[in-house]
Amino acid sequence: MTDTRPAVVLIGFMGAGKSAVGRLLADRLGVAFTDSDAVIEADAGRTIADIFATDGEPAFRDLEHRTIARLLTEPVGVLALGGGAAMHPGTQALLRRHPMVVHLRIDLDRARARTGDDTRRPMLRRADLAEIHARRMPVFDAIATLVLDTADRSLEQVADVVLAAVASAPQV
Ligand code: S3P
């Protein structure tokens, strides 16, 4: 049977390691790795920072949702979503139908430490970043089929746990 959806979808706050873990996982599963942020930038021919600055966050969220809705119907292998993507109600509805949605959980202090002041990530400049993090965590937990704390695990260990879950999920 030909896959018509991603094998695994990774969600989580900025700095959780979605891209790094995603690449490892894809490698081990022998599938492609797709990052929704990279697809948005390639399609638009603009950076996310530019889309935020010029069009505003609501326009970015709309574009992000439409891109992800499409990617969820394509055999894109391991799909990592941008850190705020799973807050969109339309995206949430689609994610609830996917059998392998993994929340890579990261606490705010570690997220800040890992991301530094990356200028490519406009949300990091938000004064209410702590509230945003607090709001997202329970939502991501509720949507995910697997919640994984990344705090005391190496990238390889995180990938191992996800691989074990994929192996025991016959529908994926
Ligand atoms: C965002 C996270 C970013 C990117 C955009 C918005 C967010 O993705 O989608 O800057 O709202 O947390 P990463 O989690 O890959 O940095």
mmCIF file of all heavy atoms in Angstrom, residues 12-15 18-19 35 37 48 52 57 60-61 64 81-85 120-123 136, ligand 1:
data_model
loop_
_atom_site.group_PDB
_atom_site.id
_atom_site.type_symbol
_atom_site.label_atom_id
_atom_site.label_comp_id
_atom_site.label_asym_id
_atom_site.label_seq_id
_atom_site.Cartn_x
_atom_site.Cartn_y
_atom_site.Cartn_z
ATOM 1 N N GLY A 12 5.817 20.402 19.072
ATOM 2 C CA GLY A 12 6.537 20.803 20.279
ATOM 3 C C GLY A 12 7.022 22.228 20.172
ATOM 4 O O GLY A 12 7.073 22.808 19.078
ATOM 5 N N PHE A 13 7.348 22.780 21.315
ATOM 6 C CA PHE A 13 7.777 24.184 21.399
ATOM 7 C C PHE A 13 9.116 24.373 20.674
ATOM 8 O O PHE A 13 9.856 23.406 20.453
ATOM 9 C CB PHE A 13 7.931 24.563 22.877
ATOM 10 C CG PHE A 13 7.769 26.039 23.152
ATOM 11 C CD1 PHE A 13 6.519 26.633 23.098
ATOM 12 C CD2 PHE A 13 8.875 26.833 23.463
ATOM 13 C CE1 PHE A 13 6.360 27.994 23.342
ATOM 14 C CE2 PHE A 13 8.731 28.199 23.718
ATOM 15 C CZ PHE A 13 7.470 28.778 23.659
ATOM 16 N N MET A 14 9.414 25.627 20.343
ATOM 17 C CA MET A 14 10.721 25.947 19.743
ATOM 18 C C MET A 14 11.843 25.378 20.613
ATOM 19 O O MET A 14 11.792 25.497 21.835
ATOM 20 C CB MET A 14 10.896 27.473 19.645
ATOM 21 C CG MET A 14 9.972 28.142 18.665
ATOM 22 S SD MET A 14 10.066 29.954 18.781
ATOM 23 C CE MET A 14 9.005 30.290 20.186
ATOM 24 N N GLY A 15 12.832 24.795 19.971
ATOM 25 C CA GLY A 15 13.979 24.283 20.709
ATOM 26 C C GLY A 15 13.801 22.870 21.233
ATOM 27 O O GLY A 15 14.701 22.317 21.860
ATOM 28 N N LYS A 18 12.686 19.165 17.304
ATOM 29 C CA LYS A 18 11.828 18.521 16.295
ATOM 30 C C LYS A 18 12.608 18.217 15.007
ATOM 31 O O LYS A 18 12.475 17.135 14.444
ATOM 32 C CB LYS A 18 10.617 19.416 15.965
ATOM 33 C CG LYS A 18 9.727 19.717 17.178
ATOM 34 C CD LYS A 18 8.556 20.615 16.793
ATOM 35 C CE LYS A 18 8.916 22.008 16.334
ATOM 36 N NZ LYS A 18 9.330 22.948 17.388
ATOM 37 N N SER A 19 13.407 19.176 14.568
ATOM 38 C CA SER A 19 14.135 18.957 13.310
ATOM 39 C C SER A 19 15.255 17.940 13.489
ATOM 40 O O SER A 19 15.425 17.035 12.663
ATOM 41 C CB SER A 19 14.704 20.276 12.785
ATOM 42 O OG SER A 19 13.654 21.171 12.540
ATOM 43 N N ASP A 35 10.075 19.478 6.991
ATOM 44 C CA ASP A 35 9.898 20.470 8.047
ATOM 45 C C ASP A 35 8.893 21.497 7.510
ATOM 46 O O ASP A 35 9.138 22.103 6.464
ATOM 47 C CB ASP A 35 11.283 21.108 8.268
ATOM 48 C CG ASP A 35 11.292 22.136 9.372
ATOM 49 O OD1 ASP A 35 10.277 22.830 9.537
ATOM 50 O OD2 ASP A 35 12.331 22.252 10.041
ATOM 51 N N ASP A 37 8.118 24.444 8.341
ATOM 52 C CA ASP A 37 8.680 25.796 8.198
ATOM 53 C C ASP A 37 9.475 25.922 6.891
ATOM 54 O O ASP A 37 9.361 26.930 6.182
ATOM 55 C CB ASP A 37 9.636 26.121 9.359
ATOM 56 C CG ASP A 37 8.896 26.367 10.668
ATOM 57 O OD1 ASP A 37 7.695 26.672 10.621
ATOM 58 O OD2 ASP A 37 9.538 26.263 11.720
ATOM 59 N N ILE A 48 10.388 33.033 7.173
ATOM 60 C CA ILE A 48 9.287 33.151 8.137
ATOM 61 C C ILE A 48 9.366 34.495 8.857
ATOM 62 O O ILE A 48 8.347 35.153 9.090
ATOM 63 C CB ILE A 48 9.311 31.949 9.106
ATOM 64 C CG1 ILE A 48 8.784 30.733 8.352
ATOM 65 C CG2 ILE A 48 8.480 32.232 10.353
ATOM 66 C CD1 ILE A 48 8.866 29.442 9.066
ATOM 67 N N PHE A 52 6.252 37.147 9.009
ATOM 68 C CA PHE A 52 5.761 37.706 10.279
ATOM 69 C C PHE A 52 5.826 39.233 10.232
ATOM 70 O O PHE A 52 4.876 39.923 10.596
ATOM 71 C CB PHE A 52 6.618 37.228 11.456
ATOM 72 C CG PHE A 52 6.030 36.083 12.248
ATOM 73 C CD1 PHE A 52 6.115 34.784 11.761
ATOM 74 C CD2 PHE A 52 5.406 36.291 13.466
ATOM 75 C CE1 PHE A 52 5.595 33.719 12.485
ATOM 76 C CE2 PHE A 52 4.875 35.238 14.194
ATOM 77 C CZ PHE A 52 4.975 33.943 13.711
ATOM 78 N N GLU A 57 1.372 37.923 12.147
ATOM 79 C CA GLU A 57 1.235 36.533 12.606
ATOM 80 C C GLU A 57 -0.033 35.842 12.090
ATOM 81 O O GLU A 57 0.044 34.685 11.664
ATOM 82 C CB GLU A 57 1.307 36.448 14.144
ATOM 83 C CG GLU A 57 1.315 34.987 14.585
ATOM 84 C CD GLU A 57 1.333 34.775 16.085
ATOM 85 O OE1 GLU A 57 1.506 35.752 16.846
ATOM 86 O OE2 GLU A 57 1.162 33.602 16.487
ATOM 87 N N PHE A 60 0.554 34.491 8.738
ATOM 88 C CA PHE A 60 1.472 33.351 8.797
ATOM 89 C C PHE A 60 0.729 32.093 9.258
ATOM 90 O O PHE A 60 0.896 31.008 8.691
ATOM 91 C CB PHE A 60 2.649 33.632 9.744
ATOM 92 C CG PHE A 60 3.475 32.398 10.009
ATOM 93 C CD1 PHE A 60 4.331 31.895 9.037
ATOM 94 C CD2 PHE A 60 3.359 31.700 11.209
ATOM 95 C CE1 PHE A 60 5.063 30.728 9.251
ATOM 96 C CE2 PHE A 60 4.089 30.538 11.440
ATOM 97 C CZ PHE A 60 4.947 30.053 10.465
ATOM 98 N N ARG A 61 -0.106 32.234 10.292
ATOM 99 C CA ARG A 61 -0.827 31.052 10.830
ATOM 100 C C ARG A 61 -1.752 30.446 9.786
ATOM 101 O O ARG A 61 -1.910 29.221 9.727
ATOM 102 C CB ARG A 61 -1.625 31.435 12.086
ATOM 103 C CG ARG A 61 -0.783 31.894 13.254
ATOM 104 C CD ARG A 61 0.196 30.825 13.722
ATOM 105 N NE ARG A 61 1.091 31.329 14.753
ATOM 106 C CZ ARG A 61 2.223 30.721 15.097
ATOM 107 N NH1 ARG A 61 2.595 29.592 14.517
ATOM 108 N NH2 ARG A 61 2.993 31.236 16.031
ATOM 109 N N GLU A 64 0.423 28.716 7.302
ATOM 110 C CA GLU A 64 0.981 27.533 7.964
ATOM 111 C C GLU A 64 -0.070 26.413 7.984
ATOM 112 O O GLU A 64 0.223 25.263 7.659
ATOM 113 C CB GLU A 64 1.398 27.920 9.393
ATOM 114 C CG GLU A 64 2.000 26.780 10.190
ATOM 115 C CD GLU A 64 2.470 27.232 11.573
ATOM 116 O OE1 GLU A 64 1.703 27.940 12.277
ATOM 117 O OE2 GLU A 64 3.598 26.882 11.954
ATOM 118 N N LEU A 81 6.463 19.930 12.641
ATOM 119 C CA LEU A 81 5.664 21.155 12.511
ATOM 120 C C LEU A 81 6.316 22.305 13.269
ATOM 121 O O LEU A 81 6.995 22.097 14.275
ATOM 122 C CB LEU A 81 4.251 20.934 13.067
ATOM 123 C CG LEU A 81 3.429 19.795 12.465
ATOM 124 C CD1 LEU A 81 1.987 19.878 12.972
ATOM 125 C CD2 LEU A 81 3.450 19.814 10.944
ATOM 126 N N GLY A 82 6.074 23.515 12.829
ATOM 127 C CA GLY A 82 6.546 24.693 13.550
ATOM 128 C C GLY A 82 5.966 24.711 14.957
ATOM 129 O O GLY A 82 4.895 24.137 15.212
ATOM 130 N N GLY A 83 6.666 25.387 15.858
ATOM 131 C CA GLY A 83 6.331 25.352 17.279
ATOM 132 C C GLY A 83 4.946 25.831 17.674
ATOM 133 O O GLY A 83 4.460 25.499 18.764
ATOM 134 N N GLY A 84 4.291 26.617 16.820
ATOM 135 C CA GLY A 84 2.947 27.086 17.172
ATOM 136 C C GLY A 84 1.860 26.453 16.332
ATOM 137 O O GLY A 84 0.663 26.704 16.533
ATOM 138 N N ALA A 85 2.258 25.609 15.387
ATOM 139 C CA ALA A 85 1.317 25.093 14.385
ATOM 140 C C ALA A 85 0.139 24.342 14.995
ATOM 141 O O ALA A 85 -0.995 24.473 14.534
ATOM 142 C CB ALA A 85 2.068 24.189 13.407
ATOM 143 N N ARG A 120 15.779 34.319 13.501
ATOM 144 C CA ARG A 120 14.873 33.695 12.516
ATOM 145 C C ARG A 120 13.565 33.275 13.175
ATOM 146 O O ARG A 120 12.653 32.812 12.508
ATOM 147 C CB ARG A 120 15.547 32.463 11.890
ATOM 148 C CG ARG A 120 16.693 32.817 10.952
ATOM 149 C CD ARG A 120 17.560 31.613 10.674
ATOM 150 N NE ARG A 120 18.056 31.041 11.939
ATOM 151 C CZ ARG A 120 18.794 29.946 12.027
ATOM 152 N NH1 ARG A 120 19.112 29.280 10.941
ATOM 153 N NH2 ARG A 120 19.210 29.492 13.195
ATOM 154 N N ARG A 121 13.497 33.374 14.517
ATOM 155 C CA ARG A 121 12.294 32.934 15.225
ATOM 156 C C ARG A 121 11.626 34.145 15.899
ATOM 157 O O ARG A 121 11.938 34.479 17.053
ATOM 158 C CB ARG A 121 12.660 31.895 16.285
ATOM 159 C CG ARG A 121 13.015 30.542 15.694
ATOM 160 C CD ARG A 121 13.617 29.681 16.772
ATOM 161 N NE ARG A 121 13.464 28.261 16.520
ATOM 162 C CZ ARG A 121 14.439 27.374 16.727
ATOM 163 N NH1 ARG A 121 15.610 27.757 17.172
ATOM 164 N NH2 ARG A 121 14.229 26.096 16.507
ATOM 165 N N PRO A 122 10.692 34.786 15.198
ATOM 166 C CA PRO A 122 10.091 36.018 15.716
ATOM 167 C C PRO A 122 9.374 35.844 17.053
ATOM 168 O O PRO A 122 9.329 36.778 17.858
ATOM 169 C CB PRO A 122 9.106 36.436 14.612
ATOM 170 C CG PRO A 122 9.030 35.307 13.646
ATOM 171 C CD PRO A 122 10.218 34.443 13.846
ATOM 172 N N MET A 123 8.851 34.653 17.334
ATOM 173 C CA MET A 123 8.104 34.456 18.582
ATOM 174 C C MET A 123 8.996 34.580 19.817
ATOM 175 O O MET A 123 8.515 34.853 20.912
ATOM 176 C CB MET A 123 7.423 33.076 18.594
ATOM 177 C CG MET A 123 6.327 32.910 17.560
ATOM 178 S SD MET A 123 4.947 34.058 17.765
ATOM 179 C CE MET A 123 4.127 33.366 19.201
ATOM 180 N N ARG A 136 0.472 26.438 25.522
ATOM 181 C CA ARG A 136 0.655 25.393 24.505
ATOM 182 C C ARG A 136 0.802 23.983 25.088
ATOM 183 O O ARG A 136 0.346 23.015 24.478
ATOM 184 C CB ARG A 136 1.886 25.717 23.645
ATOM 185 C CG ARG A 136 1.653 26.874 22.692
ATOM 186 C CD ARG A 136 2.903 27.146 21.870
ATOM 187 N NE ARG A 136 2.707 28.269 20.957
ATOM 188 C CZ ARG A 136 3.637 28.733 20.134
ATOM 189 N NH1 ARG A 136 4.838 28.173 20.127
ATOM 190 N NH2 ARG A 136 3.378 29.745 19.333
HETATM 191 C C1 S3P B 1 6.941 29.394 15.877
HETATM 192 C C2 S3P B 1 7.942 28.456 15.777
HETATM 193 C C3 S3P B 1 8.810 28.328 14.590
HETATM 194 C C4 S3P B 1 8.136 28.905 13.333
HETATM 195 C C5 S3P B 1 7.625 30.288 13.616
HETATM 196 C C6 S3P B 1 6.613 30.330 14.757
HETATM 197 C C7 S3P B 1 6.119 29.436 17.110
HETATM 198 O O1 S3P B 1 9.123 26.956 14.373
HETATM 199 O O2 S3P B 1 7.099 28.093 12.887
HETATM 200 O O3 S3P B 1 8.737 31.106 13.877
HETATM 201 O O4 S3P B 1 5.028 30.033 17.103
HETATM 202 O O5 S3P B 1 6.549 28.850 18.133
HETATM 203 P P1 S3P B 1 10.210 26.128 15.267
HETATM 204 O O6 S3P B 1 9.473 25.518 16.415
HETATM 205 O O7 S3P B 1 10.695 25.092 14.321
HETATM 206 O O8 S3P B 1 11.263 27.083 15.676
#
